[in-house]
Amino acid sequence: MNKMPYEEFLNTVKVLKMLYGRNVAERFFTKNYPSYYNLSSVSFS
């Protein structure tokens, strides 16, 4: 399965929030954001 572009992912989160509320959008975001961010490899130095 192809991953949607990051901008489209954020727009999807916005639409979910408008249609179904913050709780649904937040669950979708937290479930799917690791595919865009690899926080274990981020260097903060």
Side-chain angles (χ1 to χ4, degrees):
M1 183 174 150
N2 293 338
K3 183 172 68 169
M4 71 173 79
Y6 181 67
E7 185 176 343
E8 187 176 336
F9 170 68
L10 292 180
N11 287 335
T12 303
V13 173
K14 289 178 192 178
V15 170
L16 286 172
K17 185 177 178 184
M18 285 188 294
L19 293 175
Y20 302 109
R22 182 175 184 207
N23 290 335
V24 173
E26 186 175 357
R27 283 194 304 261
F28 177 81
F29 180 80
T30 56
K31 181 179 177 183
N32 293 296
Y33 84 89
S35 63
Y36 294 95
Y37 294 108
N38 186 359
L39 297 178
S40 62
S41 70
V42 173
S43 173
F44 293 107
S45 58

Short mmCIF file of all heavy atoms in Angstrom, two decimals:
data_model
loop_
_atom_site.label_atom_id
_atom_site.label_comp_id
_atom_site.label_asym_id
_atom_site.label_seq_id
_atom_site.Cartn_x
_atom_site.Cartn_y
_atom_site.Cartn_z
N MET A 1 0.84 -1.19 0.00
CA MET A 1 0.00 0.00 0.00
C MET A 1 0.88 1.25 0.00
O MET A 1 1.83 1.35 0.76
CB MET A 1 -0.89 -0.02 1.24
CG MET A 1 -1.85 1.11 1.31
SD MET A 1 -2.97 0.88 2.73
CE MET A 1 -3.27 2.55 3.11
N ASN A 2 0.57 2.19 -0.84
CA ASN A 2 1.33 3.43 -0.90
C ASN A 2 0.92 4.37 0.21
O ASN A 2 -0.26 4.50 0.53
CB ASN A 2 1.11 4.13 -2.25
CG ASN A 2 1.71 3.35 -3.39
OD1 ASN A 2 2.60 2.55 -3.20
ND2 ASN A 2 1.20 3.59 -4.57
N LYS A 3 1.93 5.02 0.78
CA LYS A 3 1.68 6.00 1.84
C LYS A 3 1.26 7.32 1.19
O LYS A 3 1.84 7.75 0.21
CB LYS A 3 2.96 6.18 2.65
CG LYS A 3 2.83 7.12 3.81
CD LYS A 3 4.07 7.10 4.67
CE LYS A 3 5.24 7.70 3.96
NZ LYS A 3 6.39 7.93 4.82
N MET A 4 0.22 7.94 1.74
CA MET A 4 -0.22 9.22 1.19
C MET A 4 0.80 10.30 1.53
O MET A 4 1.52 10.19 2.52
CB MET A 4 -1.61 9.60 1.73
CG MET A 4 -1.67 9.98 3.19
SD MET A 4 -3.27 10.60 3.71
CE MET A 4 -4.19 9.12 3.91
N PRO A 5 0.90 11.33 0.70
CA PRO A 5 1.83 12.43 0.99
C PRO A 5 1.49 13.09 2.34
O PRO A 5 0.34 13.06 2.79
CB PRO A 5 1.60 13.41 -0.15
CG PRO A 5 0.94 12.61 -1.23
CD PRO A 5 0.20 11.51 -0.55
N TYR A 6 2.51 13.65 2.96
CA TYR A 6 2.35 14.23 4.29
C TYR A 6 1.26 15.30 4.32
O TYR A 6 0.44 15.34 5.23
CB TYR A 6 3.68 14.82 4.74
CG TYR A 6 3.63 15.42 6.12
CD1 TYR A 6 3.43 14.62 7.23
CD2 TYR A 6 3.78 16.79 6.31
CE1 TYR A 6 3.37 15.15 8.51
CE2 TYR A 6 3.72 17.33 7.58
CZ TYR A 6 3.53 16.51 8.66
OH TYR A 6 3.47 17.05 9.92
N GLU A 7 1.22 16.16 3.31
CA GLU A 7 0.21 17.23 3.26
C GLU A 7 -1.20 16.64 3.20
O GLU A 7 -2.12 17.12 3.85
CB GLU A 7 0.46 18.15 2.07
CG GLU A 7 -0.46 19.34 2.03
CD GLU A 7 -0.12 20.29 0.89
OE1 GLU A 7 0.99 20.21 0.34
OE2 GLU A 7 -0.98 21.11 0.57
N GLU A 8 -1.36 15.59 2.43
CA GLU A 8 -2.67 14.94 2.33
C GLU A 8 -3.05 14.29 3.67
O GLU A 8 -4.21 14.29 4.07
CB GLU A 8 -2.64 13.89 1.23
CG GLU A 8 -3.99 13.28 0.93
CD GLU A 8 -3.94 12.32 -0.24
OE1 GLU A 8 -3.05 12.44 -1.09
OE2 GLU A 8 -4.81 11.44 -0.29
N PHE A 9 -2.07 13.73 4.36
CA PHE A 9 -2.29 13.16 5.68
C PHE A 9 -2.83 14.23 6.64
O PHE A 9 -3.82 14.01 7.35
CB PHE A 9 -0.99 12.55 6.21
CG PHE A 9 -1.03 12.15 7.66
CD1 PHE A 9 -1.83 11.10 8.09
CD2 PHE A 9 -0.26 12.82 8.59
CE1 PHE A 9 -1.86 10.72 9.42
CE2 PHE A 9 -0.29 12.45 9.92
CZ PHE A 9 -1.08 11.40 10.34
N LEU A 10 -2.20 15.40 6.65
CA LEU A 10 -2.65 16.48 7.53
C LEU A 10 -4.04 16.98 7.15
O LEU A 10 -4.86 17.27 8.03
CB LEU A 10 -1.64 17.63 7.52
CG LEU A 10 -0.30 17.34 8.16
CD1 LEU A 10 0.60 18.58 8.07
CD2 LEU A 10 -0.44 16.90 9.60
N ASN A 11 -4.31 17.07 5.86
CA ASN A 11 -5.65 17.47 5.42
C ASN A 11 -6.70 16.45 5.83
O ASN A 11 -7.81 16.82 6.19
CB ASN A 11 -5.66 17.69 3.90
CG ASN A 11 -4.96 18.95 3.49
OD1 ASN A 11 -4.83 19.90 4.27
ND2 ASN A 11 -4.47 18.98 2.26
N THR A 12 -6.35 15.18 5.79
CA THR A 12 -7.27 14.13 6.23
C THR A 12 -7.58 14.29 7.71
O THR A 12 -8.74 14.15 8.13
CB THR A 12 -6.68 12.74 5.95
OG1 THR A 12 -6.40 12.64 4.56
CG2 THR A 12 -7.62 11.64 6.38
N VAL A 13 -6.57 14.60 8.50
CA VAL A 13 -6.77 14.82 9.94
C VAL A 13 -7.72 16.01 10.15
O VAL A 13 -8.64 15.95 10.98
CB VAL A 13 -5.43 15.05 10.67
CG1 VAL A 13 -5.65 15.46 12.11
CG2 VAL A 13 -4.58 13.79 10.59
N LYS A 14 -7.53 17.07 9.39
CA LYS A 14 -8.41 18.25 9.50
C LYS A 14 -9.86 17.91 9.18
O LYS A 14 -10.78 18.33 9.88
CB LYS A 14 -7.94 19.36 8.55
CG LYS A 14 -6.66 20.02 8.96
CD LYS A 14 -6.28 21.06 7.91
CE LYS A 14 -4.89 21.57 8.08
NZ LYS A 14 -4.53 22.53 7.03
N VAL A 15 -10.06 17.15 8.11
CA VAL A 15 -11.42 16.79 7.71
C VAL A 15 -12.06 15.88 8.75
O VAL A 15 -13.23 16.06 9.10
CB VAL A 15 -11.41 16.12 6.31
CG1 VAL A 15 -12.77 15.53 5.98
CG2 VAL A 15 -11.00 17.13 5.25
N LEU A 16 -11.30 14.93 9.26
CA LEU A 16 -11.83 14.06 10.31
C LEU A 16 -12.25 14.88 11.53
O LEU A 16 -13.28 14.60 12.15
CB LEU A 16 -10.80 13.00 10.72
CG LEU A 16 -10.58 11.87 9.73
CD1 LEU A 16 -9.40 11.02 10.15
CD2 LEU A 16 -11.83 11.03 9.59
N LYS A 17 -11.45 15.87 11.87
CA LYS A 17 -11.78 16.72 13.01
C LYS A 17 -13.07 17.49 12.77
O LYS A 17 -13.92 17.60 13.65
CB LYS A 17 -10.63 17.67 13.32
CG LYS A 17 -10.85 18.49 14.56
CD LYS A 17 -9.66 19.37 14.87
CE LYS A 17 -9.91 20.21 16.09
NZ LYS A 17 -8.82 21.15 16.34
N MET A 18 -13.23 18.04 11.55
CA MET A 18 -14.44 18.79 11.24
C MET A 18 -15.68 17.90 11.24
O MET A 18 -16.74 18.29 11.71
CB MET A 18 -14.31 19.47 9.87
CG MET A 18 -13.40 20.67 9.87
SD MET A 18 -13.43 21.58 8.31
CE MET A 18 -12.70 20.42 7.19
N LEU A 19 -15.55 16.69 10.68
CA LEU A 19 -16.70 15.81 10.54
C LEU A 19 -17.05 15.04 11.81
O LEU A 19 -18.23 14.88 12.13
CB LEU A 19 -16.47 14.81 9.40
CG LEU A 19 -16.39 15.39 7.99
CD1 LEU A 19 -16.04 14.30 7.00
CD2 LEU A 19 -17.71 16.04 7.61
N TYR A 20 -16.02 14.53 12.50
CA TYR A 20 -16.27 13.59 13.60
C TYR A 20 -15.78 14.05 14.96
O TYR A 20 -16.02 13.38 15.95
CB TYR A 20 -15.62 12.24 13.27
CG TYR A 20 -16.13 11.66 11.98
CD1 TYR A 20 -15.32 11.60 10.86
CD2 TYR A 20 -17.43 11.19 11.87
CE1 TYR A 20 -15.79 11.08 9.66
CE2 TYR A 20 -17.91 10.67 10.69
CZ TYR A 20 -17.08 10.61 9.58
OH TYR A 20 -17.55 10.09 8.41
N GLY A 21 -15.07 15.17 15.00
CA GLY A 21 -14.62 15.70 16.28
C GLY A 21 -13.15 15.42 16.56
O GLY A 21 -12.48 14.67 15.84
N ARG A 22 -12.69 16.04 17.61
CA ARG A 22 -11.27 15.98 17.95
C ARG A 22 -10.81 14.58 18.34
O ARG A 22 -9.71 14.17 18.00
CB ARG A 22 -10.98 16.96 19.09
CG ARG A 22 -9.52 16.97 19.44
CD ARG A 22 -9.19 18.00 20.46
NE ARG A 22 -7.74 17.97 20.65
CZ ARG A 22 -7.15 18.32 21.75
NH1 ARG A 22 -7.85 18.77 22.76
NH2 ARG A 22 -5.85 18.26 21.85
N ASN A 23 -11.63 13.85 19.07
CA ASN A 23 -11.22 12.53 19.55
C ASN A 23 -10.90 11.58 18.40
O ASN A 23 -9.89 10.88 18.43
CB ASN A 23 -12.29 11.92 20.46
CG ASN A 23 -12.39 12.64 21.77
OD1 ASN A 23 -11.44 13.27 22.22
ND2 ASN A 23 -13.56 12.57 22.39
N VAL A 24 -11.73 11.56 17.39
CA VAL A 24 -11.51 10.68 16.24
C VAL A 24 -10.26 11.11 15.48
O VAL A 24 -9.42 10.28 15.12
CB VAL A 24 -12.75 10.68 15.31
CG1 VAL A 24 -12.46 9.92 14.03
CG2 VAL A 24 -13.95 10.09 16.03
N ALA A 25 -10.12 12.40 15.25
CA ALA A 25 -8.95 12.92 14.53
C ALA A 25 -7.67 12.64 15.30
O ALA A 25 -6.65 12.28 14.71
CB ALA A 25 -9.10 14.41 14.27
N GLU A 26 -7.71 12.80 16.60
CA GLU A 26 -6.53 12.56 17.42
C GLU A 26 -6.12 11.10 17.39
O GLU A 26 -4.93 10.77 17.28
CB GLU A 26 -6.79 13.01 18.86
CG GLU A 26 -5.58 12.93 19.74
CD GLU A 26 -5.84 13.48 21.14
OE1 GLU A 26 -6.95 13.98 21.39
OE2 GLU A 26 -4.92 13.39 21.96
N ARG A 27 -7.08 10.19 17.46
CA ARG A 27 -6.77 8.75 17.38
C ARG A 27 -6.17 8.40 16.03
O ARG A 27 -5.20 7.64 15.95
CB ARG A 27 -8.02 7.91 17.63
CG ARG A 27 -8.39 7.83 19.09
CD ARG A 27 -9.40 6.73 19.36
NE ARG A 27 -10.61 6.88 18.55
CZ ARG A 27 -11.75 7.43 18.98
NH1 ARG A 27 -11.85 7.84 20.22
NH2 ARG A 27 -12.79 7.52 18.18
N PHE A 28 -6.73 8.95 14.95
CA PHE A 28 -6.19 8.70 13.61
C PHE A 28 -4.76 9.22 13.51
O PHE A 28 -3.87 8.53 13.00
CB PHE A 28 -7.07 9.37 12.56
CG PHE A 28 -6.56 9.22 11.15
CD1 PHE A 28 -6.77 8.06 10.44
CD2 PHE A 28 -5.86 10.25 10.55
CE1 PHE A 28 -6.29 7.92 9.14
CE2 PHE A 28 -5.38 10.13 9.26
CZ PHE A 28 -5.58 8.96 8.56
N PHE A 29 -4.53 10.44 13.99
CA PHE A 29 -3.20 11.04 13.91
C PHE A 29 -2.17 10.24 14.71
O PHE A 29 -1.10 9.90 14.20
CB PHE A 29 -3.24 12.49 14.41
CG PHE A 29 -1.90 13.16 14.36
CD1 PHE A 29 -1.40 13.67 13.18
CD2 PHE A 29 -1.12 13.28 15.51
CE1 PHE A 29 -0.16 14.28 13.12
CE2 PHE A 29 0.12 13.88 15.46
CZ PHE A 29 0.60 14.39 14.27
N THR A 30 -2.51 9.92 15.96
CA THR A 30 -1.53 9.22 16.81
C THR A 30 -1.26 7.80 16.30
O THR A 30 -0.16 7.29 16.50
CB THR A 30 -1.98 9.18 18.28
OG1 THR A 30 -3.27 8.60 18.37
CG2 THR A 30 -1.99 10.56 18.89
N LYS A 31 -2.22 7.19 15.65
CA LYS A 31 -2.02 5.85 15.09
C LYS A 31 -1.13 5.89 13.85
O LYS A 31 -0.38 4.96 13.61
CB LYS A 31 -3.37 5.23 14.74
CG LYS A 31 -3.28 3.84 14.19
CD LYS A 31 -4.64 3.29 13.88
CE LYS A 31 -4.53 1.92 13.25
NZ LYS A 31 -5.83 1.39 12.88
N ASN A 32 -1.20 6.97 13.07
CA ASN A 32 -0.54 7.01 11.77
C ASN A 32 0.70 7.90 11.67
O ASN A 32 1.44 7.78 10.70
CB ASN A 32 -1.54 7.43 10.70
CG ASN A 32 -2.60 6.38 10.51
OD1 ASN A 32 -2.32 5.27 10.10
ND2 ASN A 32 -3.83 6.71 10.86
N TYR A 33 0.94 8.79 12.64
CA TYR A 33 2.09 9.69 12.48
C TYR A 33 3.44 8.98 12.53
O TYR A 33 4.39 9.47 11.91
CB TYR A 33 2.05 10.86 13.47
CG TYR A 33 2.60 10.55 14.84
CD1 TYR A 33 3.94 10.74 15.12
CD2 TYR A 33 1.78 10.09 15.86
CE1 TYR A 33 4.46 10.47 16.37
CE2 TYR A 33 2.27 9.81 17.10
CZ TYR A 33 3.62 9.99 17.36
OH TYR A 33 4.12 9.72 18.58
N PRO A 34 3.59 7.82 13.19
CA PRO A 34 4.91 7.18 13.16
C PRO A 34 5.40 6.82 11.75
O PRO A 34 6.60 6.72 11.52
CB PRO A 34 4.73 5.92 14.01
CG PRO A 34 3.63 6.27 14.95
CD PRO A 34 2.70 7.12 14.13
N SER A 35 4.50 6.67 10.81
CA SER A 35 4.94 6.37 9.44
C SER A 35 5.57 7.60 8.78
O SER A 35 6.24 7.47 7.76
CB SER A 35 3.78 5.85 8.60
OG SER A 35 2.77 6.82 8.47
N TYR A 36 5.37 8.78 9.35
CA TYR A 36 5.97 10.01 8.81
C TYR A 36 7.15 10.49 9.65
O TYR A 36 8.01 11.19 9.15
CB TYR A 36 4.93 11.13 8.72
CG TYR A 36 3.85 10.81 7.73
CD1 TYR A 36 2.67 10.21 8.12
CD2 TYR A 36 4.04 11.06 6.38
CE1 TYR A 36 1.68 9.90 7.20
CE2 TYR A 36 3.07 10.75 5.45
CZ TYR A 36 1.89 10.17 5.87
OH TYR A 36 0.93 9.85 4.95
N TYR A 37 7.17 10.14 10.93
CA TYR A 37 8.24 10.58 11.82
C TYR A 37 8.87 9.38 12.48
O TYR A 37 8.19 8.57 13.10
CB TYR A 37 7.69 11.48 12.94
CG TYR A 37 7.15 12.78 12.46
CD1 TYR A 37 5.78 13.02 12.47
CD2 TYR A 37 7.99 13.79 12.02
CE1 TYR A 37 5.27 14.23 12.02
CE2 TYR A 37 7.49 14.99 11.58
CZ TYR A 37 6.12 15.20 11.59
OH TYR A 37 5.61 16.39 11.16
N ASN A 38 10.18 9.27 12.38
CA ASN A 38 10.91 8.23 13.10
C ASN A 38 11.60 8.91 14.26
O ASN A 38 12.73 9.33 14.17
CB ASN A 38 11.92 7.54 12.16
CG ASN A 38 12.59 6.38 12.83
OD1 ASN A 38 12.33 6.08 14.00
ND2 ASN A 38 13.47 5.70 12.11
N LEU A 39 10.86 9.04 15.36
CA LEU A 39 11.36 9.82 16.49
C LEU A 39 12.57 9.19 17.17
O LEU A 39 13.35 9.88 17.80
CB LEU A 39 10.25 10.02 17.52
CG LEU A 39 9.06 10.84 17.01
CD1 LEU A 39 7.99 10.93 18.09
CD2 LEU A 39 9.47 12.22 16.58
N SER A 40 12.77 7.89 17.02
CA SER A 40 13.92 7.27 17.64
C SER A 40 15.22 7.62 16.93
O SER A 40 16.30 7.49 17.51
CB SER A 40 13.75 5.75 17.67
OG SER A 40 13.66 5.25 16.35
N SER A 41 15.15 8.08 15.68
CA SER A 41 16.37 8.43 14.96
C SER A 41 16.62 9.94 14.89
O SER A 41 17.56 10.36 14.25
CB SER A 41 16.29 7.87 13.53
OG SER A 41 15.35 8.56 12.78
N VAL A 42 15.80 10.73 15.56
CA VAL A 42 15.95 12.18 15.52
C VAL A 42 17.07 12.60 16.47
O VAL A 42 17.14 12.16 17.60
CB VAL A 42 14.63 12.87 15.91
CG1 VAL A 42 14.81 14.36 16.03
CG2 VAL A 42 13.55 12.56 14.90
N SER A 43 17.92 13.48 15.98
CA SER A 43 19.00 14.01 16.81
C SER A 43 18.63 15.42 17.23
O SER A 43 18.30 16.27 16.40
CB SER A 43 20.30 14.03 16.01
OG SER A 43 21.29 14.68 16.76
N PHE A 44 18.66 15.69 18.52
CA PHE A 44 18.31 17.00 19.04
C PHE A 44 19.53 17.86 19.35
O PHE A 44 19.41 18.90 19.92
CB PHE A 44 17.47 16.85 20.30
CG PHE A 44 16.11 16.25 20.02
CD1 PHE A 44 15.83 14.94 20.39
CD2 PHE A 44 15.13 16.97 19.37
CE1 PHE A 44 14.60 14.38 20.12
CE2 PHE A 44 13.90 16.41 19.09
CZ PHE A 44 13.64 15.12 19.47
N SER A 45 20.70 17.40 18.95
CA SER A 45 21.91 18.17 19.25
C SER A 45 22.20 19.21 18.21
O SER A 45 21.71 19.24 17.15
CB SER A 45 23.10 17.24 19.39
OG SER A 45 23.28 16.49 18.22
#
